[in-house]
Amino acid sequence: MSKKTPIMNDFRAGELNPNEDVRADLKDYYRGCKTLENTMPIIEGGVARVPGSYYVRPVKQLEEGWNIRVTKSGDGTGVVTSDVAGISCGADCYDFFMDGSTVVLTATPDAGKIFDGWSGHGTGTVTRSVLMDGNKVVNAEFGAGWPLDFNAYDMATDGVYLYVCGGQTTVAPNYLAKISKIDLTTLVVIAEYEYIGTNNPFFSGIRCNGGFVYVAGYDHTTPAGVLTGLIQKIDTATLATVSCTYTLSFAPTPVWFQEPEVDDDFVYATGVYSTATVEKVKLNDSDGNNVWEIHTTSNAPVGINQDGTYIYIHKHVGGILNIERAQKSDGASSNFGYVDGGTFYRGDCDGTSLYIGGYSPSSGDTKGLTQKIKLSDMSELWQYRRNTTVVGFDDSKRCRSDGSNVYVVGQSGSPAITVLEKLDDDGNLVWTQSIAGKLITYGLILIGDYIYITGSPSLVERRLKTTGEIG
């Protein structure tokens, strides 16, 4: 059996002998080439021709540069690649690069896994920049990822962390209502809150304000199948302290709070009371006590936004897409109708305009719909309908504005694929990305140059505003 002894030497070119061992004391000649196996080196340079040898490739000269060796750790899997040809690790985890150049490494976790961060040489937390002024070793750590049975439903941020809410299946069909606190840079889960409740609870909407997260959803009471509306306020420091819990029950009629809104003194929420009544409440932020509670006959609402004076509830009434504008002070409201058919989902409010996603019928199929509404008089400024040839269901679940552009996430077709779109502030399409294999719910957050979306099987994806690609 032939021996294998990896060495590095100052080769210039030549042929390699697969049958002979080599001296191990040639390590000082480390800059000349990659790792070689079963070779007969000549210290003065080159490789001797011996029977059975074969030509491999020209070998880089000493003055060409330095090497990077990539290692991987953790209980997850993934691939590390370099921005210039050389590293694809994977299989090729070692290569040479020119002296003085900068090599940028990118870590891509496998499906269902996560990237936990870099260590070793270089700088950067998302990608790793390595200056080639010597030999370098860089480690990429991959984690096992988030639970594949986590039904992630919505997401909020305090500017430092992401908070994803939803439910996690334990013994089907039961759920734990759950919040995951995620580092913005590494996308690593650093804390979790689980609410067991009475039976099969779920969190469907979340907001952040002043060191707390506020979640809305439901719990089941006895008899099974009856929903009790649920709102909780939880300290963000550890996700371990529940400041207050508010529940609302009209058994045997179900109540499901869809989404909360928060200002400095009060919590507002909207949801479903029976199958055709909007439930809206105002709570004291300090103790969760009810300030007012109003039922309005209409079809089920899904989203809520606010400005300094009003809350805006997204719903439909009599088959018409509708915004209910309610006074924060007493809940007194007016309704404003827009497109016939379909429904509004969730949106964003910048203080002067309201941006809302949803869907409406078009030629027998539903089409994703995004609208911009002027708050001063509630007039429609523009609407965008997704131009798709997909037959079947198509929607826009959430849209957000950064002041210059509007970003929309939804689903299209059957089986559904995720659609991520960027519109300019006049409602014109800038780009669109189709994301197969990922079910997106209502989580869409804009921070700096990035878009964060949530769904399953991966809990959070970070994408570039410029292109919509993974960033």
Side-chain angles (χ1 to χ4, degrees):
M1 178 182 297
S2 62
K3 298 180 180 179
K4 293 185 178 181
T5 305
I7 65 164
M8 289 175 283
N9 197 7
D10 185 19
F11 297 114
R12 302 232 182 344
E15 299 164 345
L16 303 180
N17 184 347
N19 302 314
E20 300 200 21
D21 196 6
V22 297
R23 295 169 57 185
D25 60 352
L26 301 178
K27 60 184 179 182
D28 291 337
Y29 297 85
Y30 60 89
R31 288 188 290 174
C33 64
K34 285 187 170 184
T35 299
L36 304 176
E37 296 181 349
N38 300 334
T39 65
M40 175 179 284
I42 298 175
I43 194 71
E44 294 80 10
V47 181
R49 177 188 296 276
V50 296
S53 67
Y54 56 94
Y55 182 76
V56 177
R57 56 171 288 184
V59 185
K60 299 173 187 274
Q61 296 185 24
L62 175 66
E63 60 269 21
E64 284 193 36
W66 309 89
N67 66 67
I68 292 180
R69 185 179 299 276
V70 173
T71 59
K72 295 186 289 186
S73 62
D75 52 5
T77 56
V79 175
V80 178
T81 56
S82 56
D83 61 333
V84 293
I87 299 293
S88 182
C89 179
D92 192 355
C93 301
Y94 178 90
D95 213 329
F96 281 80
F97 298 92
M98 293 293 293
D99 180 46
S101 63
T102 297
V103 179
V104 180
L105 301 176
T106 300
T108 305
D110 292 336
K113 310 300 180 183
I114 58 173
F115 173 59
D116 279 343
W118 301 101
S119 58
H121 293 105
T123 60
T125 54
V126 179
T127 58
R128 194 72 163 182
S129 297
V130 184
L131 176 62
M132 299 310 299
D133 57 359
N135 295 316
K136 302 297 173 76
V137 177
V138 182
N139 182 73
E141 183 168 355
F142 294 96
W146 299 284
L148 295 180
D149 63 348
F150 190 169
N151 182 6
Y153 211 73
D154 198 10
M155 178 167 53
T157 185
D158 57 9
V160 181
Y161 299 100
L162 296 170
Y163 300 86
V164 177
C165 75
Q168 183 178 350
T169 302
T170 51
V171 180
N174 294 323
Y175 274 83
L176 294 171
K178 189 170 182 177
I179 304 170
S180 288
K181 180 179 181 179
I182 300 170
D183 185 270
L184 265 178
T185 302
T186 62
L187 300 187
V188 173
V189 176
I190 61 173
E192 290 186 324
Y193 167 70
E194 294 180 345
Y195 176 73
I196 299 175
T198 304
N199 179 33
N200 205 16
F202 192 80
F203 292 145
S204 58
I206 189 168
R207 290 290 191 275
C208 290
N209 189 58
F212 296 92
V213 289
Y214 301 79
V215 284
Y218 62 79
D219 195 357
H220 278 85
T221 58
T222 303
V226 177
L227 304 184
T228 296
L230 173 68
I231 300 171
Q232 287 192 322
K233 176 184 177 182
I234 303 158
D235 192 328
T236 60
T238 61
L239 292 187
T241 304
V242 179
S243 297
C244 56
T245 297
Y246 173 79
T247 59
L248 182 65
S249 177
F250 294 105
T253 302
V255 179
W256 177 0
F257 286 121
Q258 290 279 344
E259 190 175 29
E261 265 293 5
V262 185
D263 58 27
D264 290 338
D265 299 307
F266 300 100
V267 181
Y268 308 86
T270 187
V272 181
Y273 164 44
S274 77
T275 57
T277 304
V278 173
E279 172 66 32
K280 58 180 183 285
V281 297
K282 176 180 179 179
L283 312 175
N284 283 318
D285 180 75
S286 58
D287 55 18
N289 289 332
N290 187 313
V291 178
W292 52 250
E293 170 191 315
I294 299 174
H295 313 294
T296 306
T297 301
S298 69
N299 284 9
V302 178
I304 182 173
N305 293 107
Q306 66 163 334
D307 61 15
T309 304
Y310 299 102
I311 56 173
Y312 302 89
I313 298 171
H314 322 152
K315 58 184 183 179
H316 65 283
V317 178
I320 297 176
L321 295 182
N322 187 274
I323 300 296
E324 179 183 344
R325 184 178 69 182
Q327 293 275 356
K328 284 185 171 182
S329 57
D330 58 8
S333 64
S334 301
N335 288 287
F336 299 86
Y338 300 95
V339 180
D340 289 348
T343 192
F344 278 143
Y345 283 148
R346 299 188 180 180
D348 196 14
C349 181
D350 63 8
T352 60
S353 300
L354 186 63
Y355 304 84
I356 308 179
Y359 68 86
S360 67
S362 176
S363 302
D365 295 306
T366 61
K367 301 299 180 186
L369 174 71
T370 304
Q371 284 189 269
K372 180 179 180 181
I373 296 169
K374 185 179 179 181
L375 293 182
S376 59
D377 59 8
M378 298 301 291
S379 62
E380 178 187 293
L381 295 176
W382 52 255
Q383 66 171 252
Y384 165 79
R385 291 177 185 263
R386 185 171 299 130
N387 182 18
T388 177
T389 58
V390 171
V391 176
F393 192 77
D394 185 274
D395 69 8
S396 298
K397 291 188 179 298
R398 167 81 80 179
C399 59
R400 291 198 185 273
S401 170
D402 63 4
S404 301
N405 295 282
V406 181
Y407 301 84
V408 184
V409 68
Q411 67 181 45
S412 183
S414 180
I417 63 170
T418 292
V419 178
L420 181 63
E421 296 170 310
K422 178 179 180 178
L423 313 178
D424 66 22
D425 203 42
D426 293 319
N428 301 306
L429 181 66
V430 178
W431 52 250
T432 183
Q433 285 279 354
S434 295
I435 310 170
K438 186 176 182 69
L439 175 63
I440 294 297
T441 46
Y442 297 104
L444 172 66
I445 294 290
L446 307 177
I447 303 175
D449 296 328
Y450 297 104
I451 309 162
Y452 296 84
I453 55 177
T454 188
S456 59
S458 57
L459 198 60
V460 174
E461 283 188 6
R462 176 175 49 223
R463 291 179 171 264
L464 297 170
K465 282 184 177 180
T466 52
T467 63
E469 296 174 343
I470 291 287

